[in-house]
Amino acid sequence: MTDLAALTGLPFDLRTKAFLDYLDRRRAQSAVVRSDQPGVWEVFGYDETVQVLGDHETFSNDMNDLIPEDERELASAAQGNFLGIDPPRHTQMRELVRRAFTPRIVADLEPVVERTAEQLLDEVELSADGSGTVDLVAGFASPLTARVIAKLFGIPEQDHVLFTIWADALLGARPAGELGKADESAVRELGDLVRSASAYLLDLIHERRAHPRDDLISALAQAEVDGRSLGDHEIVGVIGMFVIAGHLPSSVLIGSTVMALDTHPDTFAEVRADHGLLPQVVEEVLRWRPPLVRDQRVAARETELGGERIPAGAMVCLWLASAHRDAARFPQADAFDIHRGNQTRHIAFGRGIHFCLGAPLARMETRIALSALLRRFDRVEVLRDGGIQFHPSIGVLGPVRLPAAVHARTSSA
């Protein structure tokens, strides 16, 4: 199957197999292939993907030229998403956010993640014998990561559902199988979302400027580099970036980790016996089933990549999931092996100047979520016939609904 849009309509297991088969088949043909979609080149090899990610001068991340001139609010917010702009503006923006989003802030969130995970598991309804069912993504991972982001920015926890709504809308701004740029109509619909979200967020930003608190909105409002600070709409853009990169991928990663362990019972037993292996588990899942399976760039000039001539203005679709299955870099790449020696060479969080600032938070959230599940339950079994649903975007490979049967540990366990 080569119709990527059709893949998203398949059941989760068939979708995963068909998608990975597509990547394997195309990678076997060439590391770089001209797509069936006009103006798009698809990149399947690890070395070629790393080359693109590391060369921001040739492969631009700025796609703001598609924003209509009358969508000024969207254009302003887009500047706050420094993942989508190039140096020198990117350098300044990233430094402003880095000064606000410090390692201390991430470390201070760890007890928040632990407490939130326990609170959510307290809500799981169990029968007298300690058994029950729970949706480990919609009922656990998604509210966990949303509440943590809400806490990070100082947003009332009762509004955490807004992050799920925004993330779904932002990631769904193009047809499921579309690899090129989103068309103007999709961008205009995105503008409607930004205006709605901005109306909510701008009130908070104004309040934090007047009365700073110990949260990221206050820190962003006060951050300054070389006399430059962030405007209100740019802060909205930074929040939007965290919604996309910090909420949904983390919740999908937690679900994918549970699914990986469920289908590898020997590894699951090993991890139950030694929770210290959880960081290795997370890294291997990031390689084996990255939540975001693709990235994109625009060729700023004509260039050569993997033996192909890429014209200026072409869209370059980087299949991160394919790079992770490149046998030249990851022997037996299709195997799930938490003891793999080079698993940390994955590029699930990007590479180069656009490496994800939220990577430590995503790793920490996943580790804590899995640890909480293992402490609370002596059995966690994915219900494969219980209505598992994957995210509708072709760029996301992982569950948004993951029903599971659980059984509580006894006091003597």
Side-chain angles (χ1 to χ4, degrees), residues 72-81 194 198 233-238:
R72 299 188 183 280
E73 207 162 18
L74 178 55
S76 183
Q79 292 303 307
N81 178 6
V194 169
S198 295
H233 285 284
E234 289 176 325
I235 295 177
V236 170
V238 172

Side-chain angles (χ1 to χ4, degrees), residues 257-281:
T257 304
V258 173
M259 293 188 76
L261 292 173
D262 182 76
T263 54
H264 296 83
D266 290 345
T267 301
F268 208 165
E270 186 180 4
V271 174
R272 282 191 177 281
D274 182 3
H275 292 192
L277 293 171
L278 283 173
Q280 293 172 233
V281 173

Side-chain angles (χ1 to χ4, degrees), residues 355-367:
F355 183 82
C356 179
L357 277 178
L361 177 59
R363 287 179 164 113
M364 181 256 284
E365 286 176 325
T366 306
R367 172 180 55 81

Side-chain angles (χ1 to χ4, degrees), residues 237-248:
V238 172
I239 297 172
M241 178 185 66
F242 272 85
V243 168
I244 297 175
H247 161 49
L248 188 137

Side-chain angles (χ1 to χ4, degrees), residues 137 141-149 160-168 241-254 361 365:
V137 176
S142 183
L144 171 65
T145 58
R147 291 181 190 183
V148 170
I149 293 293
H160 76 272
V161 70
L162 292 174
F163 285 89
T164 300
I165 295 171
W166 294 342
D168 286 343
M241 178 185 66
F242 272 85
V243 168
I244 297 175
H247 161 49
L248 188 137
S250 294
S251 67
V252 170
L253 176 60
I254 293 169
L361 177 59
E365 286 176 325

Side-chain angles (χ1 to χ4, degrees), residues 124-385:
V124 176
E125 295 184 3
L126 301 175
S127 62
D129 66 355
S131 62
T133 59
V134 59
D135 188 325
L136 289 177
V137 176
F140 177 56
S142 183
L144 171 65
T145 58
R147 291 181 190 183
V148 170
I149 293 293
K151 176 67 175 178
L152 176 65
F153 283 102
I155 292 171
E157 288 189 1
Q158 64 266 26
D159 293 334
H160 76 272
V161 70
L162 292 174
F163 285 89
T164 300
I165 295 171
W166 294 342
D168 286 343
L170 290 167
L171 283 167
R174 70 178 68 204
E178 179 61 54
L179 302 183
K181 300 178 182 179
D183 61 26
E184 188 169 302
S185 63
V187 174
R188 288 190 183 279
E189 290 184 13
L190 191 58
D192 292 339
L193 171 70
V194 169
R195 278 185 289 276
S196 174
S198 295
Y200 175 89
L201 294 172
L202 288 172
D203 284 343
L204 287 177
I205 294 167
H206 295 157
E207 194 273 335
R208 296 302 194 274
R209 286 196 188 279
H211 306 286
R213 301 184 189 180
D214 186 19
D215 56 43
L216 191 53
I217 287 181
S218 299
L220 290 169
Q222 298 172 53
E224 185 176 305
V225 174
D226 297 331
R228 172 71 164 85
S229 57
L230 291 168
D232 291 350
H233 285 284
E234 289 176 325
I235 295 177
V236 170
V238 172
I239 297 172
M241 178 185 66
F242 272 85
V243 168
I244 297 175
H247 161 49
L248 188 137
S250 294
S251 67
V252 170
L253 176 60
I254 293 169
S256 293
T257 304
V258 173
M259 293 188 76
L261 292 173
D262 182 76
T263 54
H264 296 83
D266 290 345
T267 301
F268 208 165
E270 186 180 4
V271 174
R272 282 191 177 281
D274 182 3
H275 292 192
L277 293 171
L278 283 173
Q280 293 172 233
V281 173
V282 174
E283 295 307 313
E284 179 64 351
V285 174
L286 284 165
R287 183 203 68 83
W288 189 67
R289 293 289 188 273
L292 301 180
V293 299
R294 72 175 178 188
D295 204 346
Q296 292 176 288
R297 297 292 187 271
V298 177
R301 58 195 178 205
E302 182 177 328
T303 188
E304 181 174 327
L305 179 68
E308 291 284 329
R309 296 301 300 176
I310 311 296
M315 176 66 71
V316 180
C317 176
L318 307 171
W319 289 114
L320 306 180
S322 177
H324 292 168
R325 293 169 65 85
D326 190 334
R329 294 300 173 199
F330 300 100
Q332 297 183 309
D334 59 342
F336 180 71
D337 179 7
I338 66 171
H339 300 292
R340 186 181 298 275
N342 65 346
Q343 62 182 193
T344 57
R345 293 185 64 185
H346 70 73
I347 47 178
F349 292 119
R351 183 68 67 89
I353 66 169
H354 292 292
F355 183 82
C356 179
L357 277 178
L361 177 59
R363 287 179 164 113
M364 181 256 284
E365 286 176 325
T366 306
R367 172 180 55 81
I368 290 175
L370 268 292
S371 181
L373 284 171
L374 293 175
R375 285 196 309 271
R376 183 70 65 102
F377 304 114
D378 62 16
R379 189 180 79 241
V380 177
E381 180 183 358
V382 172
L383 299 174
R384 297 180 66 82
D385 297 325

